[in-house]
């Protein structure tokens, strides 16, 4: 995958050139395996993640999920609920106005992973799995 951005400057934000953010990066991931990409700041990790999610369009490349190029799918066919980004700054990722329960329930409800009536039970189960279960009185 190759990703470029227009670089702009000046009062009228004229296009000055192109930022070569990512040049021909290529990798494969196996199901249920973790993979850590450690590279220096500005190497293009976030830009790659955003392009995989189609939050920005790459200049070229493909993103194959079960053999299907998600970059070629239309909006209705996209399977965003099968992919997600985990942001490294939790203070920027979590809404301080929402409870932890609401924060966990929100993506499950948006992606229709659970029915509203099941959401509380699912959230409690997930919190318990990571050692954050409620102490019984
Ligand atoms: N919207 C944008 N417009 C112009 N340049 C951008 C844009 N987004 C990223 N860049 C540039 O693309 C390059 C890659 O940035 P990116 O944020 O992907 O790096 P990163 O590996 O995630 O860094 P970090 O470890 O600091 O998060 C950098 O040179 C950055 O300045
Ligand atoms: Mg980043």
């Amino acid at each position: 995958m190759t990703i470029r951005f227009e670089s702009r400057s000046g009062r009228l934000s004229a296009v000055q050139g192109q930022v070569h953010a990512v040049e021909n990066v290529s990798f494969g991931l196996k199901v249920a395996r973790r993979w850590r990409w450690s590279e220096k700041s500005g190497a293009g990790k976030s830009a790659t993640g955003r392009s995989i999610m189609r939050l920005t369009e790459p200049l070229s490349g493909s993103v194959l999920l079960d053999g299907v190029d998600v970059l070629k799918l239309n909006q209705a066919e996209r399977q965003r609920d099968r992919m997600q980004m985990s942001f490294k700054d939790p203070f920027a990722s979590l809404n301080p106005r929402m409870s932890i329960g609401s924060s966990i329930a929100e993506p499950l409800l948006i992606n229709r992973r659970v029915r509203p009536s099941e959401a509380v039970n699912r959230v409690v189960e997930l919190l318990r799995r990571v050692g954050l279960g409620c102490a019984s009185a």
Side-chain angles (χ1 to χ4, degrees), residues 55-127:
L55 298 172
T56 52
E57 291 296 324
L59 180 72
S60 64
S62 55
V63 177
L64 300 175
L65 181 65
D66 293 338
V68 175
D69 186 354
V70 298
L71 299 186
K72 296 207 173 98
L73 298 178
N74 64 37
Q75 201 157 9
E77 295 167 328
R78 287 182 207 170
Q79 299 179 310
R80 275 209 180 129
D81 61 326
R82 294 186 64 198
M83 301 189 281
Q84 71 172 53
M85 292 173 74
S86 298
F87 297 97
K88 60 188 173 187
D89 178 3
F91 292 102
S93 308
L94 294 169
N95 183 343
R97 291 172 186 272
M98 288 169 70
S99 69
I100 192 66
S102 302
S103 301
I104 294 170
E106 190 176 51
L108 299 174
L109 293 168
I110 288 173
N111 291 316
R112 298 198 172 88
R113 287 292 172 98
V114 293
R115 281 194 287 271
S117 58
E118 298 164 359
V120 172
N121 286 343
R122 181 76 177 126
V123 167
V124 170
E125 178 201 326
L126 288 169
L127 286 172

